[in-house]
Amino acid sequence: MNYKNLQQQDKEVYDIIKKEETRQKNELEMIASENYVTQAVMEAMGSILTNKYSEGYPGSRYYGGNQIIDEIEILAIERAKKLFHAEHVNVQPLSGSPANASVYMAFLKPGDKVLGLKLDHGGHLSHGHSVNFSGILYNFVQYEVDSKTGRINMEEVRKIAQKEKPKMIVAGYSAYSREIEWQKFQNIADEIGSYTFADIAHTAGLIAGEQMDNPVPIFDVVSTTTHKTLRGPRGAIIMCKEKHAKKIDKAVFPGMQGGPHDHITAAKAVAFGEALKPEFKEYAKKIIINSKTLAEEFINRGYRIISDGTDNHLIVVDMTSKNTSGKETEKILERIGISVSRSTIPNDPNPPMNPSGVRFGTPAITTRGLGEKEVKQVAGWIDAAITNKEDIGVLNSIKKEVEEMCKKFPVPGLL
Ligand code: DSN
């Protein structure tokens, strides 16, 4: 990436960015929610569209001079509609939590009852955790994954829904590795007259790439971030049935947000354009193959994987099966140049800051071009590092091997 002007004007910031660039080049990213965007997405993000204010929507803005901005927002909307088969799309949400806040604002009043998956069972903070606005403003009741299978038991969800009669049911998760039965959620909601809300932030790219089921034609409303498997800029969108369009748009602006970030809208349009190409389906397929390969490698080495495997881009591993914790594993792997995120496991006996699990994801390494052969190699390094966590010599030599692999598979956006 060329930072010529930044280098001349502000060396302090330039040096920090270059250090991070080197880290991204030399280390493997296995955080399930991260990815590497293309140069084209970055160029759109770095464009002069950042100079504009455009509160409102295409054709109806609160500032002059927005005819051209309207073109980019309409293009992003049309591409997202095509990608997800959506009736209505709002491309202005700044990120995942603000998007979810807008969804709740559109459909609920403070105090209304909502049903969401518990955070330590794979849900998200914004799905009703008590420290989050969602849990503070709304009356969330929570469902769990089955303690034996690690999967969502739809009969249990039905029982809770029938008993609690929530106004909204939330599905779509941050640390759940299985396909979601969208239609069954909708059927339950229909029985009790609830709205259905899917947060597909994690799997949006796999859905766009037609490797996982799409809730958009089924659910009332769906949010997703654009920067995870979808491989776009940091941001989010909301998709809904046409009948909900007005209330969603009103909730995003003026309800939750001010001016949209037009340079990010342009980058979203670029990312949706990329995801509409046939190559993206291949990419999505490879992410899942890599994730399944990783799960198999761990299982063969005696690691306990929640739900015993994966249908998507992530796996959650119970590290107590290897006499370590999530936090310690995160540190050990940092030492060899692999980034992961610690994670709670269902019914975790340990606290969220030092949970039992680790969440591994394959979207970023798949973007780099790693395939099954390399994933097997990476699983071997991870296991060797955990087994030899006190042996600095072993950790240093694995780190060198990781660096060698990184050289062979450069980050596309950093060429
Ligand atoms: N922080 C994201 C994740 O890692 O899943 C969710 O917001």
Side-chain angles (χ1 to χ4, degrees):
M1 183 96 185
N2 184 351
Y3 299 105
K4 207 169 67 210
N5 294 289
L6 181 63
Q7 185 178 16
Q8 275 167 15
Q9 183 185 314
D10 193 333
K11 185 129 178 9
E12 228 177 329
V13 171
Y14 170 81
D15 285 344
I16 293 171
I17 292 176
K18 288 309 272 187
K19 265 195 289 184
E20 173 61 10
E21 194 176 286
T22 304
R23 188 195 72 78
Q24 290 192 14
K25 276 182 180 166
N26 295 340
E27 298 187 358
L28 287 176
E29 200 55 73
M30 296 187 79
I31 292 174
S33 48
E34 293 189 13
N35 213 331
Y36 307 109
V37 297
T38 59
Q39 199 74 38
V41 167
M42 264 193 284
E43 284 172 12
M45 273 194 276
S47 71
I48 45 77
L49 299 193
T50 193
N51 296 337
K52 193 72 195 100
Y53 244 120
S54 47
E55 280 163 326
Y57 289 102
S60 166
R61 304 280 187 184
Y62 288 78
Y63 292 79
N66 269 303
Q67 295 82 355
I68 299 163
I69 293 300
D70 281 2
E71 283 181 38
I72 198 65
E73 187 162 334
I74 290 166
L75 185 64
I77 291 168
E78 289 309 317
R79 287 184 179 176
K81 276 184 173 175
K82 200 165 162 196
L83 196 55
F84 291 100
H85 310 286
E87 290 179 21
H88 178 77
V89 182
N90 186 309
V91 294
Q92 294 191 6
L94 302 176
S95 208
S97 286
N100 291 354
S102 298
V103 169
Y104 299 140
M105 188 178 226
F107 288 90
L108 307 171
K109 290 197 177 53
D112 276 349
K113 195 179 271 186
V114 191
L115 180 59
L117 182 69
K118 252 191 190 167
L119 180 69
D120 65 340
H121 285 237
H124 187 251
L125 275 172
S126 66
H127 300 178
H129 196 275
S130 58
V131 299
N132 183 264
F133 76 89
S134 54
I136 295 167
L137 287 180
Y138 305 101
N139 175 17
F140 267 84
V141 283
Q142 310 242 257
Y143 57 101
E144 302 185 345
V145 297
D146 184 278
S147 56
K148 287 204 184 72
T149 63
R151 296 178 188 231
I152 289 159
N153 176 336
M154 294 308 295
E155 269 320 300
E156 278 307 308
V157 175
R158 171 172 274 114
K159 269 188 215 155
I160 301 172
Q162 293 279 3
K163 177 168 169 264
E164 300 287 350
K165 304 242 175 331
K167 194 162 174 194
M168 173 180 270
I169 301 178
V170 186
Y173 317 108
S174 292
Y176 183 71
S177 60
R178 294 301 183 174
E179 186 60 89
I180 297 166
E181 297 181 277
W182 305 113
Q183 188 57 55
K184 286 193 181 166
F185 272 104
Q186 186 60 50
N187 295 347
I188 294 169
D190 288 343
E191 285 164 21
I192 56 169
S194 308
Y195 292 117
T196 44
F197 167 33
D199 177 347
I200 58 167
H202 264 264
T203 52
L206 306 176
I207 292 167
E210 296 178 359
Q211 304 304 310
M212 293 195 84
D213 295 341
N214 184 7
V216 176
I218 303 171
F219 270 39
D220 286 297
V221 59
V222 177
S223 72
T224 180
T225 50
T226 43
H227 50 269
K228 298 186 176 95
T229 48
L230 200 47
R231 212 163 60 180
R234 302 200 84 80
I237 61 173
I238 300 173
M239 299 168 271
C240 65
K241 296 274 189 296
E242 192 57 46
K243 64 182 174 190
H244 303 309
K246 272 204 182 118
K247 58 183 173 205
I248 282 295
D249 286 352
K250 266 176 73 180
V252 173
F253 174 83
M256 273 296 300
Q257 297 183 177
H261 294 179
D262 298 315
H263 56 309
I264 300 295
T265 303
K268 286 174 185 172
V270 175
F272 300 152
E274 290 173 358
L276 281 163
K277 291 190 178 146
E279 303 89 276
F280 198 83
K281 287 193 184 57
E282 285 310 306
Y283 167 59
K285 202 181 278 177
K286 284 181 189 159
I287 292 176
I288 298 177
I289 292 172
N290 280 344
S291 179
K292 284 181 185 289
T293 304
L294 188 65
E296 267 169 36
E297 289 295 311
F298 282 137
I299 289 169
N300 291 343
R301 289 177 169 87
Y303 289 73
R304 186 174 89 88
I305 311 279
I306 306 307
S307 88
D308 299 321
T310 182
D311 300 325
N312 62 20
H313 63 298
L314 68 82
I315 57 177
V316 178
V317 185
D318 176 2
M319 296 311 303
T320 64
S321 59
K322 287 287 168 179
N323 299 317
T324 178
S325 70
K327 192 173 175 181
E328 190 184 36
T329 306
E330 196 184 287
K331 286 279 156 226
I332 297 165
L333 298 187
E334 233 170 36
R335 187 74 187 69
I336 61 164
I338 295 179
S339 297
V340 296
S341 46
R342 58 185 177 269
S343 171
T344 50
I345 58 171
N347 304 309
D348 203 328
N350 294 310
M353 275 311 282
N354 188 18
S356 303
V358 164
R359 192 185 60 169
F360 291 88
T362 53
I365 57 169
T366 307
T367 294
R368 265 184 120 130
L370 272 68
E372 286 168 86
K373 181 170 150 245
E374 290 79 25
V375 168
K376 286 180 183 172
Q377 179 74 69
V378 170
W381 289 332
I382 291 172
D383 184 48
I386 288 164
T387 313
N388 299 285
K389 60 187 176 192
E390 311 291 354
D391 191 329
I392 303 296
V394 171
L395 297 180
N396 282 343
S397 95
I398 299 173
K399 188 175 167 60
K400 281 206 185 85
E401 294 191 76
V402 169
E403 273 177 22
E404 283 308 309
M405 183 176 276
C406 288
K407 280 193 196 119
K408 280 193 213 138
F409 295 92
V411 176
L414 292 181
L415 288 177

